[in-house]
Amino acid sequence: MNDIPRLLRRAHFAFRQATDRMLTDYDLTSAQLDVLQRVAQCECAEHRTLLQDMEVASPTLTKLVNSLVDAGYLERRISPEDARVKQLVLTETGHALQAEMIEKYQGAMDCILDGFSPAERLMLSEMLKRVIANIEQVES
């Protein structure tokens, strides 16, 4: 029972390493892919929203976003509602990469969860959600 935190950390670290290896051909990191995925989900995301979702420091997120803008995957646009706010949107290249990453990501998940039945996969997902909810309750 006491090794659950260690196992969660190990699983997270192993997953990040596997994802980073998968992304080497694209010159991307798993953190950059996280940003792309979150922007794709929102269609246009604001820096502050990404900060809340990703739980990273602002300078870290700025560095990730800048690298994705420089690579041509993201662009910054001025919000039509508030000219002080910049939104992030996927470029055409970013959309193409995102579509390709969905396939690769699914393949990686199939390898990671090899041997798990659909019911076990669902159970694992539900258990992890409960762990997160319990942790968030303790923090508040």
Side-chain angles (χ1 to χ4, degrees):
M1 181 88 159
N2 289 338
D3 64 338
I4 289 175
R6 183 185 62 79
L7 291 171
L8 287 171
R9 277 192 309 276
R10 257 202 85 214
H12 174 75
F13 184 70
F15 179 75
R16 283 289 199 194
Q17 284 183 315
T19 304
D20 283 339
R21 280 192 303 274
M22 176 185 81
L23 295 170
T24 56
D25 293 343
Y26 300 90
D27 198 27
L28 288 174
T29 65
S30 53
Q32 290 170 313
L33 181 61
D34 283 348
V35 173
L36 285 175
Q37 288 174 328
R38 290 171 198 275
V39 172
Q41 290 170 351
C42 301
E43 287 192 33
C44 59
E46 295 177 13
H47 189 86
R48 65 186 155 121
T49 305
L50 290 175
L51 279 174
Q52 293 167 345
D53 287 349
M54 296 186 66
E55 299 175 356
V56 296
S58 186
T60 301
L61 180 59
T62 298
K63 185 177 178 180
L64 289 168
V65 168
N66 286 343
S67 66
L68 292 167
V69 168
D70 292 344
Y73 298 126
L74 289 179
E75 67 179 45
R76 290 181 177 96
R77 292 186 184 162
I78 295 173
S79 168
E81 290 85 32
D82 186 346
R84 297 170 295 174
V85 175
K86 289 190 179 156
Q87 297 175 326
L88 298 168
V89 295
L90 290 177
T91 62
E92 282 187 40
T93 306
H95 278 291
L97 177 68
Q98 177 65 16
E100 193 172 334
M101 289 297 104
I102 288 171
E103 281 186 42
K104 285 197 166 282
Y105 190 79
Q106 188 56 53
M109 288 306 300
D110 289 343
C111 287
I112 290 167
L113 296 174
D114 187 40
F116 285 76
S117 71
E120 289 172 322
R121 290 176 184 211
L122 181 60
M123 187 183 334
L124 176 60
S125 178
E126 293 303 317
M127 290 173 144
L128 290 171
K129 288 175 186 175
R130 282 184 14 215
V131 167
I132 292 165
N134 290 344
I135 291 169
E136 288 172 348
Q137 258 187 333
V138 170
E139 290 177 348
S140 56

